[in-house]
Amino acid sequence: MTPNLETKRISSRPKRGFGSRLTGLGSSSTFVGYLFVTPILILMGIWFYYPLVQSLIYSFQDISFLNPDAAKFIGFGNYVEIVQDKDFWTALSHSLLLTVVAVPLQAIIALVIAVNLNKVMHLKGVFRTLYYMPYITSTIAVTTVFMYLFMQNDGIATQLLTWFGFPDVSWYANVKYALPFLMILTVWTYVGFYMVVYLGGLQTIPNDIYEAGRVDGANGWQQFWKLTVPMLKPVTFLVIMSGIINVMQLFDQPYALARNGSLGSPAGATSTIVTYFYSQAFSFNRSGYGSAAAFIIFALIIALSMLQKRFLKEEI
């Protein structure tokens, strides 16, 4: 075919105008999809991304919400001051200790409950609801009830623990036992939620795998350790990562324990990295300093999540 003839054929084709192209775009599924997600993208931009960028800018400034016009750029001054503050390291040590103790403990307890509950033939929904209730109950109410349980003289839990050699004291008001009290409260609050997550994962494992294991002579413990645990590895990754995020952001329970006093009461024994950030930003009106602390929290959560991912060798 000669080039001139081909050129004539191309030029003779009808050209699509802007209106026809717009009509084609409007009828495409991609455009319709973007149209549906546009409202949530706008809301996320207003309520999440804009505050995130603004907070990052504040972290490099000496600024107060009371007088934002007097903001002064100080570079990494806030970050340097934070790492030199012993209160920050105390709060960070409490958050890390809560993460190391509470997250694995609540994952193990949730898995054990889920495995046993999965074997229940009747009233499974009732038991699942009862275990899940603490997670959806008001944190302030749960903390208040636990304070009565661990109260000196009249607390049921306190009296039971005295049989094992623990002193008869109000745990939440004692510097030595306030952090263990917070750990117990945290585990009890979240274990029901992770139990439901594990229960959903267990119901996706085919029964053929267990039947094959029984044929090979595997007992109950071997089936659990060699079959159930490996098959639930993605669920475990989700549970631990979610637990790290929840514990590192722990605020409501220490706030309720403070009882309108200074956060971290008694004597800073229940201070966490979030209560440290909140105190600096809102109690002391140091918005820039508090923003820097918030970004340190963000960096720590990312670092811990990546370490946990590497440990479990699980792709996100």
Side-chain angles (χ1 to χ4, degrees):
M1 184 179 293
T2 61
N4 292 335
L5 182 59
E6 181 66 20
T7 304
K8 290 180 181 179
R9 288 189 176 184
I10 294 175
S11 61
S12 64
R13 294 173 184 172
K15 295 183 179 180
R16 297 180 63 188
F18 176 76
S20 62
R21 290 196 300 268
L22 186 61
T23 303
L25 180 63
S27 61
S28 67
S29 59
T30 303
F31 176 78
V32 175
Y34 279 116
L35 190 63
F36 274 105
V37 300
T38 296
I40 189 61
L41 291 176
I42 294 175
L43 291 175
M44 287 183 65
I46 295 173
W47 297 107
F48 180 76
Y49 294 110
Y50 174 74
L52 182 67
V53 174
Q54 195 68 32
S55 180
L56 179 62
I57 296 172
Y58 285 165
S59 69
F60 297 105
Q61 296 178 341
D62 182 10
I63 183 174
S64 171
F65 286 134
L66 299 178
N67 190 14
D69 295 332
K72 182 174 66 175
F73 179 78
I74 58 174
F76 289 95
N78 287 324
Y79 293 94
V80 173
E81 186 178 352
I82 287 175
V83 298
Q84 294 176 347
D85 188 357
K86 66 177 183 178
D87 291 336
F88 165 76
W89 291 107
T90 300
L92 178 60
S93 65
H94 291 164
S95 293
L96 292 177
L97 187 59
L98 281 164
T99 302
V100 171
V101 176
V103 173
L105 191 60
Q106 64 193 11
I108 293 172
I109 296 174
L111 178 58
V112 172
I113 295 175
V115 169
N116 287 278
L117 187 59
N118 194 45
K119 300 176 183 178
V120 176
M121 301 301 296
H122 304 287
L123 300 177
K124 182 183 295 185
V126 175
F127 287 110
R128 184 170 56 215
T129 302
L130 291 175
Y131 280 115
Y132 192 75
M133 283 295 292
Y135 180 74
I136 61 176
T137 306
S138 169
T139 306
I140 304 298
V142 171
T143 305
T144 303
V145 171
F146 260 72
M147 291 170 68
Y148 280 106
L149 292 175
F150 284 83
M151 184 181 296
Q152 185 178 8
N153 297 328
D154 298 328
I156 298 175
T158 304
Q159 298 304 314
L160 290 176
L161 288 170
T162 55
W163 298 352
F164 300 94
F166 289 93
D168 185 11
V169 296
S170 297
W171 281 45
Y172 56 87
N174 187 279
V175 176
K176 182 179 179 180
Y177 293 102
L179 190 60
F181 171 82
L182 187 60
M183 292 178 183
I184 296 172
L185 176 60
T186 302
V187 171
W188 190 83
T189 301
Y190 290 106
V191 73
F193 170 72
Y194 299 128
M195 180 273 300
V196 173
V197 175
Y198 270 125
L199 193 60
L202 286 168
Q203 293 174 355
T204 63
I205 301 176
N207 289 327
D208 297 342
I209 296 178
Y210 293 106
E211 292 177 2
R214 285 191 291 268
V215 171
D216 291 338
N219 56 31
W221 169 252
Q222 290 172 334
Q223 290 181 28
F224 172 77
W225 188 248
K226 298 294 184 179
L227 298 177
T228 303
V229 172
M231 293 293 292
L232 289 177
K233 190 176 180 181
V235 181
T236 301
F237 173 78
L238 174 64
V239 167
I240 295 180
M241 186 174 67
S242 178
I244 291 173
I245 294 173
N246 287 330
V247 172
M248 290 298 293
Q249 294 180 337
L250 202 66
F251 175 78
D252 293 350
Q253 291 88 343
Y255 182 84
L257 291 176
R259 292 174 294 175
N260 297 323
S262 60
L263 288 176
S265 298
T270 59
S271 63
T272 64
I273 194 168
V274 178
T275 62
Y276 176 84
F277 145 72
Y278 183 90
S279 298
Q280 296 294 330
F282 299 103
S283 299
F284 303 140
N285 294 316
R286 302 186 65 188
S287 307
Y289 191 89
S291 298
F295 270 91
I296 291 177
I297 299 171
F298 176 75
L300 284 171
I301 292 175
I302 294 296
L304 289 173
S305 300
M306 296 303 294
L307 285 174
Q308 183 249 336
K309 175 193 171 186
R310 184 177 180 85
F311 177 75
L312 290 178
K313 297 180 181 179
E314 184 66 39
E315 295 292 333
I316 295 180

